[in-house]
Amino acid sequence: MFPVARAALSLTARGFQHTAVRQAHRKHEPDFHDKYGNLLLLGGAAVFTAVWGYVLTQAGIQWGLSPVGRITPKEWRE
């Protein structure tokens, strides 16, 4: 079993080495995420903050108020 496991690890390591060499020689061109990733992240954070800021301050929603003590049960009708 040990020689088989060693051979399998050797093949795996060789595969990683070939992939690393292939990627090292490839010319890296910036893709969409390299160009616009941070801009989109900051834009999304700004929109998120603006929308939730509006909801929390201007929408008129009463947040987390318990109805205990404000609601009284109606009389039972027969």
Side-chain angles (χ1 to χ4, degrees):
M1 181 67 181
F2 182 74
V4 173
R6 185 171 39 176
L9 287 175
S10 173
L11 288 175
T12 303
R14 197 173 309 143
F16 282 128
Q17 288 170 349
H18 285 295
T19 303
V21 167
R22 224 179 308 128
Q23 289 178 354
H25 291 298
R26 190 182 86 183
K27 182 179 176 184
H28 179 70
E29 299 172 0
D31 61 357
F32 178 82
H33 299 287
D34 292 332
K35 288 182 179 179
Y36 306 111
N38 290 335
L39 185 64
L40 284 176
L41 184 65
L42 292 174
V47 170
F48 177 86
T49 303
V51 168
W52 275 106
Y54 172 79
V55 168
L56 292 174
T57 59
Q58 304 296 321
I61 300 174
Q62 295 179 353
W63 297 94
L65 297 176
S66 174
V68 174
R70 291 188 294 134
I71 297 175
T72 57
K74 295 181 180 179
E75 293 295 325
W76 182 259
R77 292 181 299 188
E78 296 207 27

